[in-house]
Amino acid sequence: SSLAATCLVQRAAGAFAGRRVLELGSGLGLGGVSCCGAGASRVLMTDFDADLAAALEKTCEAYAGMSAATIDWADNATYADETFDVVLGTDVAYEDAVVPALLDVVDAHLADDGVMLVVGERKRTAM
């Protein structure tokens, strides 16, 4: 699904140019890097796993306007203190139980005129 998100970002690059993007569940950060390549002005890559978020910081060093953070969707004290034009999530809902927390974190970070883009496999029940 990360590759599908990357292809989507590349095809719609104009929609990301100059926009602030929050990537949820970044994993290795392919989606965030794609958004940066499409001209996003700011990309915050996030993951629940602190070690993974620390590794993402290394990726961020290569790109202006990129940073990484640990966010626990169930703990709003870990949320970023900003809103974003685009919230991107790839394979973020493996189980139905995470959907309420996912919606909470999106609600807290999505700008009033922002868009949420979720990419995942149709076979997952939560998608």
Side-chain angles (χ1 to χ4, degrees):
S1 296
S2 291
L3 290 176
T6 298
C7 289
L8 181 62
V9 168
Q10 289 174 345
R11 287 180 185 243
F16 293 87
R19 308 286 299 255
R20 296 163 297 142
V21 179
L22 170 65
E23 183 184 22
L24 298 173
S26 296
L28 298 176
L30 186 57
V33 169
S34 297
C35 292
C36 190
S41 62
R42 163 113 171 89
V43 177
L44 175 59
M45 298 188 297
T46 66
D47 207 280
F48 176 75
D49 185 309
D51 290 333
L52 196 48
L56 287 169
E57 284 289 348
K58 296 292 185 188
T59 301
C60 294
E61 293 173 5
Y63 299 91
M66 281 185 93
S67 59
T70 303
I71 289 183
D72 178 351
W73 301 350
D75 181 3
N76 63 2
T78 67
Y79 289 7
D81 191 26
E82 60 186 302
T83 60
F84 296 85
D85 305 307
V86 178
V87 175
L88 172 65
T90 303
D91 286 330
V92 291
Y94 284 96
E95 302 171 357
D96 294 343
V98 303
V99 173
L102 171 62
L103 294 176
D104 286 345
V105 75
V106 169
D107 186 52
H109 292 97
L110 190 63
D112 289 340
D113 61 345
V115 296
M116 176 183 173
L117 177 61
V118 178
V119 179
E121 296 181 45
R122 203 168 197 195
K123 67 182 178 184
R124 301 206 188 281
T125 59
M127 297 300 289

